[in-house]
Amino acid sequence: MSLTDRPATDLLRDLSARKISSVELVKAYAERIRRFDGQIKAFLHLDIDAALAKAREIDARRAAGQPMGKLGGLPVAIKDVLCTQGIRTTCASKILENFVPPYDATVVRKLKEADAVIIGKTNMDEFAMGGSTENSAYFKTTNPWDTSRVPGGSSGGAAACLAAGMAPLSIGTDTGGSIRQPAAFCGVTGLKPTYGRVSRYGLVAFASSLDQIGPLGHTAEDCALLLETIAGHDPRDSTSADLPVPQYTASLSQPLQGLKLGLVREHFGPGLDSEIEAAVREAVKDYQSLGATVKELSMPHSKYGIATYYIIAPSEASSNLARYDGVHYGYRTDEKAMLDELAAKQKQLESAQDAKKLAQLDTPLIRLYRKTRAEGFGPEVKRRIMLGTYTLSAGYYDAYYLKALKVRRLIRQDYDKAFEEVDFVVGPTTPSPAFKLGEKTDDPLAMYLEDLYTVTLNLAGLGGISVPCGFTKSGLPIGLQLQCRPFDEERLLQAAAMYQRATDWHTKRPSL
Amino acid sequence: MPDHPYDLIVGLETHVQLLTDSKLFCGCSTAFGAPPNTQTCPVCIGLPGSLPVMNREAFRLGLVAAIALNCEIPQFTKWDRKQYYYPDLPKGYQISQYDLPMSQKGWLEISDPKGRFAAKKVGIIRAHLEEDAGKSLHDEAAGKADSRIDLNRTGTPLLEIVSAPDIRSTEETRAYLTELKLLLTYLNVSDCNMQEGSLRVDANVNIHIHTPQGKIATPIVEIKNLNSFRFIERALAYEAKRQFDAWQETGRKMGDPGTFKQTRGWDDAEGVTFSQREKEESSDYRYFPDPDLCPVRTPTAEVQKVRGGLAELPAAIRHRLEKSHGITPYDSDVIVAQGRPLVDYYEEVARIGGDGKKAANWVTQELLRVLNERNWSLAQFPLTAAALGELVKLVVAGEIEITRAKEVFNDMVAHKRSAGESMAALGIAKVDTSELEAICREIVAANPKIVADVKAGKQQAVGALVGQAKKKNPNANPNDVRRICLEIIGGM
Ligand SMILES: [Zn+2]
């Protein structure tokens, strides 16, 4: 197995034993990036020289016997929605094309303190809105298993760079499935932590009550390593939980006794690809052969998940994205052209003596806002800003936003009930495997339905993981999703690791 | 009775900056007057990814004020986003409180020592916390001129106190604001400095016109940014008349189709209010709960703790001074209006001087005169309360007469001397009774005409003798001279 195909924890053992150096690792991944990123386009930003310099420094410290952080020189790719001090952070949006944060996100700071080597910033759907990474304002990322297909999204670059062997660890974010769905599409493991497990400070907000940062890796163990590095209470994030962080890697090899799994009836209804259903049912059998019992249960409100999500998330997004107005930072429309245009329009209306339209003509400030936002945001972001502005408007708030909050509570109650009977809810991560580039770009609703099995978890604020559980006949990866009780990531990872010890789907790599 | 056929109806929205060291949701300083944009961080300038964290001290100050304003404190309150676009609002929304404010349904009692209105309770609808916006510096008239934005103020904690429309005159308006300001400064909640913008007032005003058909209410107008008490009084007086004139002209009243709550500004130079915008245009702030902040719970025990630790409030101090020192409501009002340090000062003077009323006279007249003349604060006043108390004590004991005591006071202030030192320097000593009698005998003997006048019943004629006695000895006490001379004449 080549260096770049190996799980991160495996590489870390060799780093610690000084069998390999961090510089060697960075060079190996840089070589993969050089060869394949032209095709995959996973990275929005790369600075191999800076990564090498950091790797050299870490190697020197290790050689000198100095204390070493938990990640000890492992390269990590970061989704371009986390602020990195001094490194452009765009959220794959034109409106932040020139934004260089003066500070690090808490997760980035923790990675640096753990001696990670930041190898680059990965592509995504603009402001994490989308399920295919086709909404990036810069370029589309492809799926390493079939480059005519999407890698999923919004953390498409994060999953694709792992699958393509261009990084051993990757940080993603999940608002409605944005870690789990690309992990499933790209045949890697991705974990969405319980809301509050990881600080959101420095994560550019899409939907604040749903966003959560999480790890992607080849194995549950990789995710455990990365999660224990980034998790924990942060005084800068009032919504982060003040709970101790278990050492996930330490307990990972303990098999779970008497495991009870719940199969949600509603997750096996119309719309589910038959190959995916077969693979998931096979995975459930694997668990049974490992001693698990399986119970079928119902989550009656899950059918409202998409509708609820597409009210709450755009509402929050419309507010969170109000700050991108061209005044303080980021993209601003060409002011001179804007003022000239406004003056011409005014002249035209004056000569036409159209007093009514003259009175309605934008002030320069309003026109600056309008043009900046019209030019700076892509269509999907605009669509969601409009949706959210509508649902929060006076007269509609109660019917949409308030109602959605009530349904959200009912969805959480469905989970609470389920977890009275089972330890984990298992099912498919996605209804279908990776689709063709462009296949759904003209049909937003079809794209939204990609989140069918993932959004309810965000609405309930719980944790979940997607692990590879097979392939379609055409060779596309399939993901198995496990969902857990609040802050039960330790056992979630144990359950995933147990499955990965018994299967080898997670060891498969695409040939590029 | 008012000279116009209507009642003025006023409700006030008062924003006060809280006296915290740091901003409401970040650690930046709230100090006034720093160079522009030097007191900012990713949170208060709304950089992508930054998150607010509530300043507990700001919340505590809000609680102190709300409790002192007799408000109910709900056990559960939350933060909401008020959304609108403006360059001095970098997030595109202001974090405020909408439907579950931290306090509501209180009152503030106002009274007038001059008796122009009866004491009354002005209702407080709500008091809630919110963050301040930045400052825009621009030439609005020019339109195209560059604007500049200072974000130092952005995120400064504000308490918005909304009164019920219970205020009925400009005098009541002034009394409400004065009392509110006093209350908040006594509690150290705010310095209420209007020049620095730490107290800002918007007034909702209309009039109820008396007609044979009953009362008619005019549409409510909100007058924005009234930044001095004088502006407020002038603006209210102007606006009441303007609304009356407008009603006479158009007959438009509250609730008529097409009437909106109008926002007007005050132009003090012209002495007029002017229309800023019809509120209808931008009334939808799309409030919703801020998902970045947790709701705040205030247990009953915490409310009780704050209530128990509350400083003595101005109204209570006034009552106490009147009761225990026997001073008039007017004097207690003057003393309390100067702030807690003067109250403490006065009480010390009264204690040492042994006469609350006389102490009040010295403090409210002589001391305040000096402070006003020299533009001093009490801290700059050279005499300790004990020193002034000693002087009062001498006056009370009749050791020195009042006009001479004022000379002594001026000398004490000028040279930072004790009463005894000043008296010595001015050659003031109490005249021995036998010496005074000798002087009186002498001048009575030398003024037979005055003696005759007094004997004829013109008692006031003895006044001329007082002047002569003072010439012989400036320390001669006029009252004593008058009494002794009358005794001598009576015995003749
Ligand atoms: Zn700040």
Side-chain angles (χ1 to χ4, degrees), chain B residues 305-321:
Chain B
K305 197 177 146 217
V306 171
R307 185 170 284 133
L310 219 55
E312 195 182 11
L313 302 181
I317 298 174
R318 280 189 215 104
H319 292 148
R320 184 167 61 75
L321 297 187

Side-chain angles (χ1 to χ4, degrees), chain A residues 15 44 54 107 151 155 165 173 218 226 258 312 324 364 399 420 435:
Chain A
L15 280 166
L44 279 170
K54 181 73 189 169
V107 163
S155 308
T173 65
H218 285 298
L226 201 46
I312 291 176
Y324 309 115
E420 284 171 13
F435 47 89

Side-chain angles (χ1 to χ4, degrees), chain B residues 26 28 40-41 44:
Chain B
C26 66
C28 292
T40 59
C41 73
C44 57

Side-chain angles (χ1 to χ4, degrees), chain A residues 147-437:
Chain A
T147 53
S148 71
R149 290 176 186 270
V150 302
S154 66
S155 308
C161 74
L162 279 178
M166 301 191 293
L169 289 173
S170 193
I171 294 284
T173 65
D174 191 315
T175 305
S178 282
I179 287 175
R180 292 159 288 158
Q181 184 252 24
F185 278 13
C186 292
V188 299
T189 305
L191 184 146
K192 183 262 169 201
T194 306
Y195 187 78
R197 178 76 289 182
V198 179
S199 167
R200 293 185 296 115
Y201 191 78
L203 158 63
V204 180
F206 157 20
S208 314
S209 75
L210 302 162
D211 295 342
Q212 194 59 195
I213 301 169
L216 294 97
H218 285 298
T219 63
E221 195 184 8
D222 287 358
C223 289
L225 174 69
L226 201 46
L227 183 61
E228 71 191 18
T229 307
I230 62 172
H233 179 246
D234 180 3
R236 289 178 180 274
D237 175 3
S238 318
T239 65
S240 73
D242 197 359
L243 291 170
V245 180
Q247 290 307 292
Y248 300 113
T249 48
S251 57
L252 202 73
S253 54
Q254 292 170 18
L256 293 167
Q257 305 292 333
L259 189 62
K260 281 183 267 179
L261 302 178
L263 279 184
V264 177
R265 205 171 296 135
E266 288 82 359
H267 287 180
F268 293 88
L272 177 60
D273 179 277
S274 60
E275 286 185 281
I276 292 188
E277 175 165 1
V280 168
R281 292 206 185 271
E282 196 58 39
V284 171
K285 273 187 203 150
D286 290 337
Y287 268 112
Q288 282 172 309
S289 68
L290 292 169
T293 53
V294 177
K295 196 176 157 72
E296 193 173 302
L297 40 87
S298 171
M299 296 186 44
H301 298 97
S302 63
K303 61 173 177 285
Y304 303 119
I306 296 280
T308 306
Y309 177 83
Y310 278 97
I311 289 171
I312 291 176
S315 294
E316 294 183 10
S318 71
S319 175
N320 285 330
L321 272 62
R323 68 190 66 195
Y324 309 115
D325 58 9
V327 173
H328 298 276
Y329 51 79
Y331 174 81
R332 181 186 287 186
T333 191
D334 180 334
E335 276 172 84
K336 193 181 170 309
M338 181 270 287
L339 288 170
D340 289 349
E341 184 192 295
L342 204 54
K345 184 79 193 164
Q346 182 167 356
K347 222 170 163 186
Q348 184 209 324
L349 291 173
E350 275 166 0
S351 64
Q353 293 186 310
D354 191 339
K356 196 172 168 209
K357 280 201 172 138
L358 256 175
Q360 290 170 345
L361 194 64
D362 287 343
T363 62
L365 178 64
I366 298 291
R367 184 58 66 96
L368 174 85
Y369 287 150
R370 277 192 206 278
K371 286 206 71 151
T372 296
R373 290 169 68 82
E375 293 161 6
F377 288 132
E380 182 59 28
V381 172
K382 285 181 196 164
R383 186 176 297 123
R384 297 198 193 192
I385 290 174
M386 284 189 277
L387 267 174
T389 304
Y390 180 82
T391 51
L392 289 180
S393 294
Y396 299 99
Y397 181 89
D398 289 4
Y400 293 106
Y401 188 74
L402 212 56
K403 186 83 148 257
L405 289 186
K406 286 176 187 162
V407 179
R408 184 177 187 174
R409 214 168 302 135
L410 293 173
I411 288 169
R412 171 64 186 257
Q413 282 170 12
D414 277 359
Y415 273 106
D416 290 345
K417 253 204 201 127
F419 288 130
E420 284 171 13
E421 300 187 53
V422 300
D423 298 309
F424 303 102
V425 168
V426 278
T429 307
T430 62
S432 54
F435 47 89
K436 292 270 186 190
L437 284 156

